Amino acid sequence: MKPTIDDVAKLAGVARATVSRVLNNQPNVRDEVRAKVMHAVSTLGYRVNLQARNLAGRQTMRIGLIHASHFDREAYSFFGWTLELGATIAAASSGAQLVSHIIDENDPGYAARIIGSLRDDQCDGALLAPPFA
C-alpha cells in the first residue's frame, strides 16, 4: 500500500498542513521541521499524488504530443496511433492531460506551428516524436 501524506505527517510528528507546506516548498517552515518531513518522505518512499494535487489546486498539467504525418499519403498511421495511446496512458497515470497535434513534416513552417500549438493549448511540456525530436 502506498504511503499517504498522513503517514508522512505521523512519522515526522507534524500536522498534515506542515507536510504540504514542505512539499510545496512554501516559506515559514523551520529548517529542522523541513528536515524531519523530508526524512519521513524518504523513509516511507512517499511520492506526491499528482492527480490529487491537480484536483486540489484546480490545475492540470498539460503535455503536448507532437507527431508527424504525411497528409498526402496517410491520414493517420499505426505508429501515430500507438504513440498517442501510450502517451495518453502515461499522462493519465501521472495526472496530466495530453493534447495531441499532428503536424505535416513537409510544411516549411512546421516549427512555428509546433510552437504555436503548444502555446495556444498552454502546454507545460511537450513530447516530440521523430522527425521533430
Side-chain angles (χ1 to χ4, degrees):
M1 193 164 161
K2 293 180 184 179
T4 66
I5 193 170
D6 293 319
D7 297 328
V8 173
K10 184 176 179 180
L11 182 61
V14 299
R16 180 181 224 248
T18 302
V19 175
S20 179
R21 282 196 303 273
V22 169
L23 295 176
N24 289 306
N25 204 26
Q26 294 178 350
N28 302 327
V29 178
R30 293 189 326 262
D31 289 340
E32 59 272 10
V33 172
R34 189 176 300 276
K36 282 177 22 178
V37 169
M38 294 311 294
H39 178 71
V41 166
S42 176
T43 299
L44 294 171
Y46 175 76
R47 294 181 64 189
V48 174
N49 182 330
L50 293 176
Q51 290 173 326
R53 177 181 274 182
N54 290 339
L55 285 174
R58 296 178 189 235
Q59 176 186 17
T60 301
M61 180 181 292
R62 296 178 69 124
I63 305 295
L65 170 63
I66 308 294
H67 53 101
S69 181
H70 295 284
F71 293 150
D72 55 344
R73 286 187 277 166
E74 58 183 271
Y76 208 68
S77 69
F78 180 73
F79 171 77
W81 180 84
T82 54
L83 177 70
E84 190 166 331
L85 178 62
T88 300
I89 291 168
S93 70
S94 64
Q97 178 184 25
L98 185 72
V99 181
S100 181
H101 291 281
I102 302 170
I103 306 288
D104 183 352
E105 68 182 85
N106 296 318
D107 178 353
Y110 75 83
R113 290 204 45 218
I114 290 171
I115 293 168
S117 297
L118 296 172
R119 185 176 295 135
D120 291 347
D121 287 328
Q122 299 176 346
C123 292
D124 300 295
L127 300 169
L128 301 175
F132 303 129

